[in-house]
Amino acid sequence: MDKVAFDALYREHYRRVYGLCRRMLGRTVDAEDATQEVFMRGYRSFGRYRSQDPFGPWINSIATNYCIDVLRGNRRVRDLFSADAEPDEAESPLENGAAPLIRAENAESVNQAVEALPEQYRLPIVLAYYSDASYDEIAETLGITRNHVGVLLLRGRKKLRAELASQISQEN
Amino acid sequence: MSCPSELTCSAYVDGALSPEEARGLERHAGSCTDCHTLIESLATERTLLRQVLQTASADGVIPAFVPRPTISSHLVWLGWSAIAIWAVSTVWISLLSTLTLPGWLSWLSPSAIGAGVEFISAALLPGTSAAEITSALFSAAQSVVVALIALIGFGWLVRHQPGRTTAPLIAVSAFSLLLTAAPESQAFEVRRDEQRVVIGPDEIINDTLIVTADDIVIDGKVTGDLVVAGESVTIRGSVGGVVMAAGESVRLEGDFGGSVFGAGELVDLRGATLAANFFGAGEKVVVHDDAEIGGNAALAGEEVEAHGSIAQDLLAAGERITVFGSVGANMRGYGETVELADSAAIAGDLTLKTKSEETAIIAPGATVDGATDISGWPEEPSEYATPGFYVGKILQILAAFVTGLVLFRLLPALGQAELAGGTEALVTAAIGALILIATPVLSVVAIVTLVGAPLGLLTLMLWLATLYAAGIVIAGYIGRLLLPNRESAAVPLLLGMTLLVVVTNLPIIGGPIQLVAGLLGLGLIGQWLQALWSKRAA
């Protein structure tokens, strides 16, 4: 196995994979360990990787599956989404026309708020907006329906807004 | 058209609507300000969220990627090692035994092991030659290695042919491979009591019987093997199989079809008839004049008295040995004083090694039909004076060094095991002591009774390997203490190993140091296993 070639790919894609692991796993798991494990898995199955395909999506899918494995623990991943959350007061409607709560200046707190989201909302949001996965891809990865993906994304963003709004009101 | 739901707008912004749905929504939004604004806001939010999420945190260094050896590469390593061991041992046995080696290399010859085995053979299986035992030991070891190779093969299959059904199937076939290698095992019965277990004269037990209690009396009949342990053990009934009895006092007064092993402060054979061999070890071992032993007898104790008749060989070792009865074949005695009374009759040769020739006393009435050979303790030349000793030690260090490198490569955690200070070190030593003592006991129990010999033998061999590894682990630790911050493990390991071998070979303090180092090394391995286990469980 070509360790040198793999090492170069590792350096190139490390931060991206680390970001995915950190966002998917949230605060409970050490993302650095997870990233090492992802590349370890990639290294082991490097023989099956076809070099004409881009490496990014390939290692990305390994990372996604690994993180889901970690989160699943002993549960089946479907169980993560079986409890269809009731809409609650914490959801905040989009203030039409108002300045969005998400701004480049508060990137840090937005990322933190995403990491603090419950898994069932965090995973679709990370897959959709970090990995740029389509509804179909997310549905397949998480083992849920396409429609469910849309609902979870909508609710997840509402929760995110509520969280950011409460942060801002605390600051003031 | 009524206003679409927020879900539809959101899906539109995410690009998840079909082309017709998207066109419909766009037409509506063109005429509905509310929906237009909502979609605009959602789109802005989406763009910003993507931007923010995808802003990779540029800080922090990228740690180096160090690939762990994979399970398959572990297996390949193990497989090759097993095959190498098998090949080397085969070549060693078949080739070296036919060559004549120069004196300083004589320890390389299999017969050197044979000499060590000779005592075991004499003590445990009189009548079997050392060569037979050596070859039996090696074939046993080789069958274990073959089983190991088979298991590794199975492991490789599991790894490369994963599937829900393959793994259990292979596990079952591996287990049955072990079982088919096992001798036919019997059912067994266990009796346990704090105080007293009595098998009455009318009771017949058709299995192997295992008894533990303070006071054990067996008057009945046991057709299988009998394993008893207690403070006071008395066997007056009859036992068809092998007897293993341990206790403060062990009194054997029945009829025994198989060999009898007795160990205790007092081992007393009175009025007993033994069809096979008798092994007695204790502070005092007495074979009374009404006892008959059909096979060989091996007696070891501070005080050994043999009054009865022994049909074959007698091997006696102890401080004071007295023979009053008859021995059908040869007698060998090792002791400070050995005495043959007037009534003693040895049909074969008599070999005595005593403190001095004066302490071998043969009464005028005693008869020895064969040759008599009496000698004092031989003057051992100091082993430190022979070059072979040093060559041997250097080879020993090199072998352990190579093994250590392989070990640390396979299990890097062992190469980084740290000994904590204070009471934690005591805990480590205690774990080591537990492994040291409990494992062979359990293996022997397994060999004698439960699942059959191969499993016990395998455990025993693993235990021996662990003992060996313990030295390596502690040597690695010592080396790292002396040479910290070394990238490679090799130099510290070699240093630690050399130091350990030198120190443990010092007179007087060498033994205790070896014991402590061994216990700590075993403890470190134990703690590593424990951590591995709890990690897996978590």
Side-chain angles (χ1 to χ4, degrees):
Chain A
M1 196 178 306
D2 194 350
K3 168 89 166 62
V4 180
F6 190 84
D7 226 46
L9 290 168
Y10 166 80
R11 306 211 144 269
E12 190 184 333
H13 294 272
Y14 178 85
R15 288 188 204 283
R16 172 106 196 123
V17 172
Y18 173 82
L20 178 63
C21 290
R22 202 177 133 186
R23 286 163 179 81
M24 275 190 84
L25 294 174
R27 295 172 177 175
T28 48
V29 187
D30 186 54
E32 202 162 291
D33 286 352
T35 313
Q36 285 298 323
E37 183 57 36
V38 167
F39 278 101
M40 192 59 230
R41 288 177 180 213
Y43 184 70
R44 272 183 215 157
S45 44
F46 198 42
R48 291 199 288 276
Y49 164 69
R50 287 169 306 177
S51 54
Q52 66 266 30
D53 294 343
F55 185 77
W58 185 74
I59 195 75
N60 212 62
S61 77
I62 292 179
T64 308
N65 290 329
Y66 173 71
C67 290
I68 288 173
D69 278 354
V70 169
L71 291 173
R72 177 167 55 184
N74 295 322
R75 293 169 293 173
R76 299 189 53 188
V77 72
R78 198 185 296 274
D79 297 346
L80 287 177
F81 305 95
S82 62
D84 208 351
E86 303 286 316
D88 56 43
E89 314 84 65
E91 290 181 0
S92 145
L94 192 66
E95 300 132 69
N96 292 353
L101 293 163
I102 296 167
R103 283 185 297 268
E105 303 90 74
N106 62 356
E108 194 55 34
S109 54
V110 174
N111 270 314
Q112 276 174 14
V114 169
E115 281 163 32
L117 279 177
E119 279 158 15
Q120 55 181 12
Y121 303 119
R122 190 175 72 237
L123 294 189
I125 284 192
V126 171
L127 290 175
Y129 305 126
Y130 183 81
S131 294
D132 280 333
S134 70
Y135 277 32
D136 286 323
E137 286 164 341
I138 299 171
E140 198 195 323
T141 306
L142 300 180
I144 54 180
T145 63
R146 195 173 185 282
N147 199 42
H148 201 168
V149 173
V151 172
L152 289 173
L153 281 174
L154 183 68
R155 289 200 182 143
R157 285 205 309 264
K158 285 184 177 176
K159 285 210 178 297
L160 203 57
R161 271 176 230 140
E163 173 61 30
L164 289 168
S166 82
Q167 272 183 21
I168 288 166
S169 69
Q170 267 168 26
E171 276 164 23
N172 300 336
Chain B
M1 179 180 178
S2 62
C3 286
S5 69
E6 196 182 345
L7 181 63
T8 311
C9 295
S10 164
Y12 169 76
V13 168
D14 285 332
L17 289 187
S18 68
E20 306 93 83
E21 285 172 318
R23 273 195 297 278
L25 187 70
E26 280 159 12
R27 268 199 303 278
H28 171 79
S31 58
C32 172
T33 340
D34 281 356
C35 285
H36 183 78
T37 322
L38 176 65
I39 289 170
E40 288 271 283
S41 308
L42 281 170
T44 318
E45 186 185 61
R46 181 178 195 278
T47 313
L48 286 169
L49 185 57
R50 275 192 65 228
Q51 231 171 45
V52 164
L53 272 176
Q54 293 187 2
T55 310
S57 44
D59 53 329
V61 281
I62 299 176
F65 177 64
V66 186
R68 282 195 315 278
T70 58
I71 291 174
S72 341
S73 72
H74 279 266
L75 285 174
V76 169
W77 267 85
L78 265 176
W80 281 115
S81 319
I83 290 168
I85 291 169
W86 177 79
V88 167
S89 64
T90 308
V91 169
W92 185 52
I93 288 293
S94 59
L95 200 74
L96 281 181
S97 53
T98 62
L99 293 175
T100 318
L101 292 163
W104 61 276
L105 276 178
S106 62
W107 55 271
L108 270 173
S109 151
S111 63
I113 288 196
V117 167
E118 192 174 18
F119 180 76
I120 307 173
S121 76
L124 290 180
L125 303 155
T128 320
S129 77
E132 280 172 310
I133 296 209
T134 317
S135 76
L137 273 179
F138 269 94
S139 61
Q142 288 201 335
S143 63
V144 169
V145 171
V146 167
L148 207 63
I149 293 174
L151 280 177
I152 289 163
F154 286 138
W156 188 86
L157 276 177
V158 174
R159 180 90 194 137
H160 292 271
Q161 307 282 321
R164 273 169 202 216
T165 47
T166 7
L169 197 74
I170 286 165
V172 166
S173 51
F175 191 62
S176 49
L177 176 94
L178 278 177
L179 280 190
T180 47
E184 195 185 326
S185 59
Q186 275 176 307
F188 62 94
E189 188 177 330
V190 179
R191 301 268 178 106
R192 263 168 54 192
D193 196 288
E194 291 258 314
Q195 270 131 36
R196 192 174 159 86
V197 170
V198 177
I199 308 287
D202 304 328
E203 218 172 320
I204 297 178
I205 288 161
N206 280 318
D207 294 321
T208 287
L209 177 66
I210 301 169
V211 187
T212 57
D214 272 0
D215 191 9
I216 301 167
V217 178
I218 312 251
D219 283 334
K221 185 176 178 183
V222 179
T223 58
D225 299 334
L226 174 65
V227 179
V228 287
E231 241 169 67
S232 149
V233 176
T234 309
I235 306 173
R236 287 191 288 249
S238 73
V239 183
V242 172
V243 174
M244 298 182 108
E248 223 168 87
S249 75
V250 177
R251 292 171 200 279
L252 304 159
E253 301 170 10
D255 288 331
F256 302 98
S259 289
V260 176
F261 298 79
E265 230 170 80
L266 171 72
V267 178
D268 194 274
L269 198 68
R270 187 193 297 268
T273 315
L274 276 78
N277 304 320
F278 176 60
F279 306 90
E283 222 169 273
K284 185 166 180 176
V285 180
V286 186
V287 177
H288 289 276
D289 52 9
D290 49 2
E292 283 174 35
I293 298 170
N296 307 290
L299 311 174
E302 242 171 73
E303 202 177 333
V304 174
E305 279 179 36
H307 296 267
S309 72
I310 297 158
Q312 290 174 33
D313 291 340
L314 166 64
L315 173 85
E319 251 172 69
R320 257 192 333 281
I321 300 163
T322 326
V323 179
F324 296 91
S326 65
V327 176
N330 305 320
M331 171 183 168
R332 275 185 285 177
Y334 304 90
E336 266 182 47
T337 62
V338 181
E339 187 180 344
L340 268 66
D342 275 323
S343 54
I346 316 292
D349 298 338
L350 174 69
T351 313
L352 297 183
K353 280 201 196 315
T354 50
K355 196 173 181 192
S356 68
E357 285 175 34
E358 285 75 45
T359 57
I361 304 157
I362 302 179
T367 57
V368 179
D369 295 349
T372 305
D373 174 19
I374 299 173
S375 55
W377 298 129
E379 284 286 318
E380 294 276 341
S382 167
E383 58 172 2
Y384 300 112
T386 58
F389 173 76
Y390 294 98
V391 177
K393 286 296 166 199
I394 289 169
L395 284 175
Q396 186 191 340
I397 292 175
L398 287 180
F401 174 62
V402 172
T403 316
L405 287 183
V406 173
L407 183 75
F408 289 171
R409 195 190 134 80
L410 289 178
L411 309 165
L414 281 184
Q416 287 144 25
E418 289 286 335
L419 197 59
T423 46
E424 294 250 347
L426 281 179
V427 173
T428 308
I431 294 175
L434 191 71
I435 298 175
L436 183 71
I437 296 161
T439 318
V441 170
L442 290 176
S443 318
V444 168
V445 167
I447 289 172
V448 174
T449 55
L450 304 173
V451 194
L455 202 62
L457 198 62
L458 193 68
T459 315
L460 217 51
M461 295 194 79
L462 277 176
W463 176 74
L464 287 174
T466 313
L467 290 189
Y468 192 63
I472 293 171
V473 168
I474 204 75
Y477 173 67
I478 294 171
R480 272 176 287 118
L481 274 189
L482 297 173
L483 296 175
N485 307 325
R486 282 279 178 144
E487 275 222 358
S488 106
V491 179
L493 180 65
L494 193 60
L495 177 76
M497 221 156 242
T498 312
L499 210 66
L500 200 63
V501 168
V502 169
V503 171
T504 53
N505 274 288
L506 292 176
I508 303 168
I509 56 165
I513 291 178
Q514 185 164 23
L515 179 70
V516 171
L519 287 183
L520 290 175
L522 274 179
L524 284 176
I525 294 178
Q527 285 173 330
W528 168 72
L529 284 171
Q530 203 179 10
L532 208 67
W533 180 259
S534 52
K535 200 170 171 186
R536 181 141 307 175

